[in-house]
Amino acid sequence: MGGFCKLGRIRDAKQLFFRMQACGQLPNSHTYAILLDGLCENQQLSEAIELLREMEDKKLEPNIVIYTILMEYLCKAGNVEAARNLFMGLSSRGLHANVKTCTIMISGFCNSGLICEAENLLGEMEEKGYSPNYVTYNTIIRGFLHNNEMSRAMGLIHQMVERGFCADASTMELIVDLLSKDKVDPALLPLIKRSL
């Protein structure tokens, strides 16, 4: 199934999924996750959500990985509200967000211009005891820069460097581009150099 999904042959993956069941091989959470990821990757989000509901109906209890997959693709498709609804419902399902899940939501919020929500989620991560990693920092910094929130981005860059993380290639490219257009404070350059 995974191979079919990677080749974009979703129909074949679904046929195999149904054939497994017809032969008495009941799919487990991992099998569902493979098909769900394939559906999402091939822009079939409504079918992916139906598959999630099927799992829930069969009492298979989707894990955080499955919800994270769906949230990521919903955010990429610009449906941040649906992703947020899944995210907000995690605790009622007995699940807890992790750093990756939060980073995906932060990215979705930033891409939708919901900067305050991204910043609030970053703060909630700290409160709940799971610290943002370098991916989280780079994601939110790029989001702030893309949304012309230069001073807030500067503060996060300071925080990132203090924690021993560095800017990734995408963040560096964006900062250098903004520096060349005089859109960010040149005082940022020594700080960025420290993070390399």
Side-chain angles (χ1 to χ4, degrees):
M1 263 194 320
F4 284 141
C5 289
K6 285 178 182 167
L7 294 172
R9 294 172 54 186
I10 294 300
R11 183 183 303 153
D12 292 330
K14 288 192 292 189
Q15 285 176 349
L16 181 57
F17 181 76
F18 295 126
R19 200 174 314 137
M20 280 175 58
Q21 293 176 74
C23 294
Q25 292 292 321
L26 297 179
N28 60 18
S29 292
H30 184 69
T31 310
Y32 273 97
I34 290 169
L35 185 56
L36 190 126
D37 186 51
L39 289 167
C40 290
E41 185 69 37
N42 288 278
Q43 290 80 43
Q44 296 182 25
L45 287 172
S46 59
E47 282 192 55
I49 291 170
E50 284 178 36
L51 193 65
L52 175 69
R53 300 297 172 235
E54 181 183 314
M55 282 186 77
E56 292 170 337
D57 290 344
K58 291 183 176 180
K59 308 287 187 235
L60 277 175
E61 298 183 18
N63 60 23
I64 192 64
V65 173
I66 288 173
Y67 283 103
T68 301
I69 291 168
L70 257 179
M71 284 183 258
E72 180 175 16
Y73 285 99
L74 285 166
C75 286
K76 284 180 180 178
N79 196 344
V80 176
E81 195 58 39
R84 180 198 334 236
N85 290 339
L86 284 176
F87 184 76
M88 299 305 282
L90 289 175
S91 61
S92 68
R93 292 176 173 92
L95 298 172
H96 301 284
N98 57 32
V99 174
K100 182 174 182 172
T101 308
C102 291
T103 302
I104 286 167
M105 286 308 305
I106 286 170
S107 177
F109 289 146
C110 288
N111 291 337
S112 296
L114 303 170
I115 298 302
C116 288
E117 294 199 37
E119 194 169 36
N120 289 341
L121 183 52
L122 184 71
E124 285 175 31
M125 288 176 72
E126 296 282 355
E127 289 169 15
K128 292 181 178 173
Y130 37 95
S131 296
N133 61 19
Y134 80 97
V135 176
T136 310
Y137 275 109
N138 279 284
T139 298
I140 197 166
I141 289 166
R142 283 193 304 273
F144 279 19
L145 292 172
H146 281 300
N147 284 282
N148 295 314
E149 296 284 347
M150 304 307 170
S151 62
R152 288 162 106 176
M154 287 280 291
L156 285 170
I157 290 169
H158 281 282
Q159 199 176 89
M160 177 179 71
V161 171
E162 284 173 6
R163 292 186 176 206
F165 299 126
C166 45
D168 64 17
S170 298
T171 303
M172 284 299 292
E173 183 179 339
L174 182 57
I175 291 169
V176 168
D177 183 53
L178 291 170
L179 280 168
S180 71
K181 295 175 183 172
D182 290 327
K183 290 192 175 184
V184 293
D185 186 348
L188 185 62
L189 198 54
L191 184 65
I192 293 300
K193 285 181 181 175
R194 275 183 35 210
S195 78
L196 296 175

